[in-house]
Amino acid sequence: MAEFTMELNDEQKEVRDWLHGFAADVIRPAAAEWDEREETPWPVIQEAAKVGIYSLDFYAQQYFDQTGLGIPMAMEELFWGDAGIALSIVGTGLAAVGVLANGTEEQIGTWVPQMYGDANDVKLAAFCSSEPDAGSDVASMRTRAVYDEAKDEWVINGTKTWATNGGIANVHVVVAVVDPDLGSKGHASFIIPPSTPGLSQGQKFKKHGIRASHTAEVVLDHVRVPGSCLLGGKEKLDERLARARERAKAGGGERVKNAAMATFEASRPAVGAMAVGTARAAYEVALDYAMTREQFGRPIIDNQGVAFQLAEMATQVDAARLLVWRASWMAVNGKPFKAAEGSMSKLFASEAAKKVTAQAIQILGGNGYTREYPVERMHRDSAIYTIFEGTSEIQRLVIARTLSGMPIR
């Protein structure tokens, strides 16, 4: 087990500087264009693949970094560049985490490489959990998977929404209900291979922020997948469902985590790191502006009203990073989130990003409200962090339930 540290080693510093250079030289110059176009920035993704950032090898190196700092460091630097483009680059990772968290070794070896492809043939993946009537309320999920024992196939029907890369991905990971009587404990995750009949893209959403990231509905109409596409395998699923049924009969609570929640728990600190990157970017723009913008014959940072805001912004960014790094270290080293530290990190960092980007606009004044400066885009982008992969309200609920042990509603 690696000791917790806030000091990056030489190798991590080299990777950080490399990512920062890519973010500064490739992502930032393209950010405004792809935000306006509201399209997947394929040229930037392909460039990331060419240099090795969009690849299974790079993702695995950061994911298995025993210090836990690989993923949050990478996310912060890429999202410092631009949130929409960065999400297009890392969006496949959520589906990959879904397979890593729930799949067998064979499934991991088979499907995760197909989610990325290679520099000459870039692929995408999508994780599909939310539904039109089941976002935070995962127990209301309606997408149904029924096992056809004669053919050893699962038949899946339903509609998913808010799926990053949904419909354009080569590989989809779909969470579906296999036992509706067990609520959220009756869910399982399935791989939908490329070109599977019955899967189609529904509505593509036009969004407030992260516009360069493709977000759409995914429609599943009698989609048939082999039994081997059930993540974890049927034997493991049957054992988990049997335990849940026994607990339900006994009237006790069942603490077996469903597949979607396992994915979200693993990724929440990473989302916090994304928020840190956006907040830091806005703070740096505001600081530079305050140092150079003059009013009444002096830089505006000479005014306490501006200087104190910047001090607060810097504190928020650093505090958020501390929480994210702690949770990331705990997750990698098998430390249980006894105080919901993963949710704490996402909650604080996402709220900090909204606050810091709003303060950046205020410091830039009228200029901050225009698209000539990037802080208005950063503020639009920051709103998503308090919504996806568990809203701030859900994070507070998770934290409160963990601390109290009470079924707070």
Side-chain angles (χ1 to χ4, degrees):
M1 182 180 71
E3 293 295 326
F4 179 68
T5 176
M6 292 297 297
E7 181 67 29
L8 299 178
N9 59 41
D10 290 341
E11 182 179 351
Q12 290 169 328
K13 289 177 182 177
E14 184 177 342
V15 172
R16 179 199 61 192
D17 294 344
W18 172 53
L19 291 170
H20 186 80
F22 184 85
D25 297 339
V26 181
I27 294 178
R28 279 203 168 179
E33 175 188 352
W34 291 100
D35 179 72
E36 289 286 346
R37 292 176 64 166
E38 299 191 54
E39 297 175 0
T40 300
W42 285 106
V44 184
I45 299 174
Q46 289 168 343
E47 188 64 26
K50 287 178 183 178
V51 300
I53 293 173
Y54 186 81
S55 72
L56 173 59
D57 286 346
F58 173 75
Y59 189 83
Q61 286 174 11
Q62 306 315 311
Y63 185 84
F64 292 110
D65 180 346
Q66 287 302 301
T67 70
L69 303 186
I71 288 293
M73 175 194 64
M75 294 298 176
E76 179 178 336
E77 293 303 330
L78 293 173
F79 280 74
W80 173 90
D82 176 70
I85 292 178
L87 191 57
S88 290
I89 294 173
V90 308
T92 290
L94 184 59
V97 168
V99 177
L100 290 167
N102 303 293
T104 64
E105 290 186 8
E106 182 179 357
Q107 289 170 330
I108 292 170
T110 298
W111 293 110
V112 176
Q114 293 188 48
M115 294 178 172
Y116 288 92
D118 56 46
N120 298 315
D121 187 18
V122 173
K123 306 294 186 183
L124 298 176
F127 183 75
C128 308
S129 177
S130 294
E131 298 184 1
D133 296 318
S136 298
D137 183 12
V138 294
S140 297
M141 192 177 292
R142 296 180 181 177
T143 296
R144 187 76 190 274
V146 177
Y147 185 56
D148 183 341
E149 188 171 2
K151 296 183 177 180
D152 185 27
E153 292 180 339
W154 289 88
V155 183
I156 307 173
N157 286 280
T159 299
K160 294 296 180 177
T161 194
W162 310 122
T164 298
N165 297 333
I168 66 171
N170 302 90
V171 178
H172 291 74
V173 177
V174 173
V175 182
V177 178
V178 294
D179 188 334
D181 294 332
L182 295 176
S184 62
K185 300 171 186 65
H187 297 175
S189 288
F190 298 85
I191 291 283
I192 313 297
S195 304
T196 298
L199 185 147
S200 62
Q201 179 184 308
Q203 176 188 3
K204 177 186 174 183
F205 296 104
K206 297 179 73 67
K207 305 187 298 296
H208 175 65
I210 56 167
R211 294 177 178 177
S213 174
H214 177 94
T215 310
E217 290 182 331
V218 174
V219 179
L220 302 111
D221 183 11
H222 290 87
V223 169
R224 282 184 169 268
V225 297
S228 60
C229 287
L230 166 65
L231 287 181
K234 193 166 188 303
E235 181 177 350
K236 183 178 178 181
L237 172 66
D238 288 343
E239 290 175 357
R240 176 167 64 82
L241 295 178
R243 290 197 304 270
R245 292 184 190 111
E246 286 301 315
R247 294 286 292 182
K249 288 179 181 178
E254 174 59 53
R255 298 193 63 82
V256 175
K257 298 181 178 68
N258 65 55
M261 292 309 296
T263 301
F264 289 143
E265 282 193 11
S267 62
R268 276 172 180 159
V271 176
M274 298 174 189
V276 172
T278 300
R280 184 184 119 210
Y283 159 72
E284 290 177 359
V285 172
L287 177 62
D288 181 69
Y289 186 89
M291 297 283 286
T292 56
R293 171 69 167 173
E294 291 192 359
Q295 290 286 283
F296 305 107
R298 61 181 183 176
I300 62 173
I301 198 171
D302 278 357
N303 299 294
Q304 284 189 2
V306 173
F308 284 8
Q309 282 196 75
L310 287 162
E312 174 69 20
M313 293 160 74
T315 302
Q316 290 277 313
V317 172
D318 272 17
R321 185 184 297 109
L322 280 165
L323 285 170
V324 166
W325 283 20
R326 179 186 69 169
S328 299
W329 172 80
M330 292 177 68
V332 167
N333 287 281
K335 296 284 187 180
F337 289 160
K338 293 182 179 179
E341 289 88 348
S343 289
M344 282 185 181
S345 69
K346 181 188 182 293
L347 171 64
F348 189 89
S350 60
E351 294 290 345
K354 286 182 67 174
K355 182 177 180 180
V356 169
T357 55
Q359 287 175 304
I361 291 177
Q362 193 68 24
I363 289 172
L364 270 67
N367 286 328
Y369 199 67
T370 71
R371 295 190 181 182
E372 295 300 314
Y373 288 79
V375 290
E376 68 83 26
R377 184 178 70 249
M378 294 169 182
H379 185 51
R380 286 189 284 108
D381 291 342
S382 71
I384 194 61
Y385 301 129
T386 64
I387 298 172
F388 70 178
E389 294 194 51
T391 64
S392 288
E393 290 74 22
I394 289 296
Q395 305 310 320
R396 293 184 179 100
L397 185 63
V398 170
I399 295 166
R401 284 176 173 175
T402 304
L403 294 175
S404 67
M406 301 294 290
I408 300 167
R409 299 183 185 278

